[in-house]
Amino acid sequence: MKKILLFLWLISPQLYAQTVRVAVAANAQFVMEELEAVFEKQTGIQLETIINSSGKITTQIQQGAPFDLFLSADMHYPDVLFKEGLTTAAPKIYAYGALVVWAIGATKPTKNLSFLTQPSIKKIALANPKLAPYGVAAQEALKHYRLFDKTQEKWVMGESISQVNQYILSQAVEVGFTAKSVVLDPSLKNQGTWVEVDPKTYSPIAQGVVLLKKKTAEPSVAARRFYDFLFSKRAHAIFRKFGYRVADATPQK
C-alpha cells in the first residue's frame, strides 16, 4: 500500500502536497463546510476557506491575495475580475441563492413583510448592498412591497451576511434578511422563526465561481478538481439540502 501511495504521489505531487485556498461569499459559509468535508474525504485534497463579503473578497484578489478559487454571491464581482484578466475564464453559475427574513425573539415574520412596520421592530439587519448581493436582494424586496422608505430608518447594515447573522443571533436587532442556506444549517435549524421571501420580488441571485490566475503558474490540478466537483451530482445534492437551486435549474422570476 505504501508503494502505491508513493507511486500516486510521484505521478501527481501537486494533488497531494498543495492546499487549495477558496474564498467564499458569506452566504455559502455553511454549505461550504459540507462541500469541503465531502471533497476532502473523496480526494484527500485539503481546502482552506476564507469567508467574507463578495465585494471585500474581490478587493483582496485585486490587491494580490493568493486565492485559488472564488465562490461569489453573484456574477458581477467575478465578472469584474474576469474583465481585469485575473481569472482563467468567465464566471460560471454554480447555484441560485434564496433570501429569507429571520427573527430569534418574539417577532414572527410574515411573507409579505408588512410586519416590519410594527413599532416593536426597531432594528432590521441587512447586508450592505455595496458589498453583498443579498443586501441588494433585500432592498429590492422592500421596494416591491413599498416598504423601502417606511423601514429605512430601522436598517442596520452588516458588512456581510455573517455579520447580519451575528446581529440576529445576538438579538441586537429584532429581525434581519439572510440567506436560506444559513437557517437550514443543522446548527441553526431550530433557532428562531424565518420565512422565505418570495423570489419574484427580487432579481435571481445567480452565484458564480471562477478559477483565479497565478502570477507564476497555472491553477493547480487540485484547484481545478474542486472547481469540477462543484458541478457534480454530489455537490448539487448538498446545495439543494441548503436551500439553493443548482445551476442547471431554471431560475424563478
Side-chain angles (χ1 to χ4, degrees), residues 136-149:
V136 175
Q139 289 191 343
E140 288 179 351
L142 289 169
K143 288 178 181 177
H144 175 87
Y145 289 112
R146 299 181 181 178
L147 296 170
F148 189 94
D149 294 330

Side-chain angles (χ1 to χ4, degrees), residues 23-231:
V24 181
N27 78 90
Q29 175 179 356
F30 297 111
V31 70
M32 183 63 193
E33 290 176 1
E34 187 157 337
L35 290 168
E36 180 179 356
V38 171
F39 179 75
E40 289 185 354
K41 185 176 181 180
Q42 284 185 357
T43 66
I45 299 169
Q46 298 296 306
L47 303 181
E48 177 187 347
T49 58
I50 300 90
I51 308 296
N52 213 323
S53 67
S54 296
K56 286 205 165 185
I57 291 172
T58 298
T59 299
Q60 291 169 350
I61 293 169
Q62 290 168 327
Q63 294 174 348
F67 305 144
D68 295 294
L69 291 91
F70 172 31
L71 277 70
S72 178
D74 68 357
M75 292 292 282
H76 167 72
Y77 286 112
D79 192 53
V80 167
L81 296 174
F82 168 64
K83 289 176 179 176
E84 292 179 0
L86 298 174
T87 74
T88 62
K92 184 176 178 180
I93 298 170
Y94 63 89
Y96 290 89
L99 184 71
V100 302
V101 61
W102 184 28
I104 295 296
T107 300
K108 302 299 179 187
T110 58
K111 198 170 182 68
N112 65 5
L113 306 185
S114 60
F115 76 101
L116 294 174
T117 61
Q118 295 173 2
S120 59
I121 307 295
K122 302 184 185 305
K123 294 180 180 179
I124 303 167
L126 61 155
N128 186 341
K130 294 180 180 179
L131 298 171
Y134 278 78
V136 175
Q139 289 191 343
E140 288 179 351
L142 289 169
K143 288 178 181 177
H144 175 87
Y145 289 112
R146 299 181 181 178
L147 296 170
F148 189 94
D149 294 330
K150 294 178 182 178
T151 61
Q152 193 168 3
E153 64 180 15
K154 300 182 179 185
W155 296 353
V156 177
M157 293 289 187
E159 290 189 352
S160 68
I161 282 293
S162 291
Q163 191 168 58
V164 168
N165 297 336
Q166 292 170 12
Y167 291 153
I168 297 169
L169 288 166
S170 66
Q171 298 186 50
V173 299
E174 284 75 29
V175 66
F177 289 91
T178 190
K180 188 176 181 179
S181 58
V182 172
V183 296
L184 290 182
D185 182 71
S187 67
L188 300 172
K189 212 167 185 179
N190 298 315
Q191 294 202 43
T193 307
W194 62 270
V195 171
E196 183 171 353
V197 179
D198 187 342
K200 294 179 181 178
T201 67
Y202 58 89
S203 302
I205 306 175
Q207 304 194 187
V209 58
V210 284
L211 274 166
L212 299 166
K213 286 184 178 179
K214 297 288 187 178
K215 290 183 178 180
T216 57
E218 288 293 309
S220 67
V221 173
R224 290 185 181 278
R225 192 162 177 185
F226 180 65
Y227 178 91
D228 292 338
F229 170 75
L230 293 173
F231 300 96

